Amino acid sequence: MATNDLNKLQEILNGAEDNHALLTQVRKQASKINSMMDELNAMLEPGYKIEKKERKPRAANGTGKGPGRPRKNAAAE
């Protein structure tokens, strides 16, 4: 009878660990949602103006080739 109680207690402890991990993930996601809602509220204000990002030019690497994946067939070059 004591083994049944110990097994049940072990199941409860395992469930509590799983629930704690799940609650931690939910809290992280909730904080992300709150920050996104704050950004959305700021965008919906009447005086909101879009800020354009300034793009930096690409650095030249001197090879004349653009970035990308090399060819699979080396002999085709």
Side-chain angles (χ1 to χ4, degrees):
M1 182 151 191
T3 57
N4 289 339
D5 292 338
L6 291 176
N7 290 338
K8 186 66 175 175
L9 181 61
Q10 186 64 36
E11 289 176 18
I12 291 170
L13 289 175
N14 290 339
E17 289 174 0
D18 294 341
N19 290 340
H20 180 69
L22 182 63
L23 282 175
T24 303
Q25 290 177 350
V26 168
R27 285 186 183 116
K28 285 180 184 178
Q29 297 301 322
S31 66
K32 288 180 183 179
I33 290 171
N34 285 337
S35 66
M36 292 174 73
M37 289 300 293
D38 291 340
E39 289 178 20
L40 180 63
N41 286 335
M43 282 191 246
L44 293 176
E45 289 180 5
Y48 179 76
K49 291 187 180 182
I50 298 173
E51 296 177 14
K52 296 207 175 196
K53 291 184 179 179
E54 187 175 325
R55 295 189 67 172
K56 296 179 183 176
R58 289 185 179 173
N61 59 6
T63 61
K65 290 186 173 182
R69 183 175 175 180
R71 293 179 181 237
K72 288 184 179 179
N73 188 357
E77 292 180 4

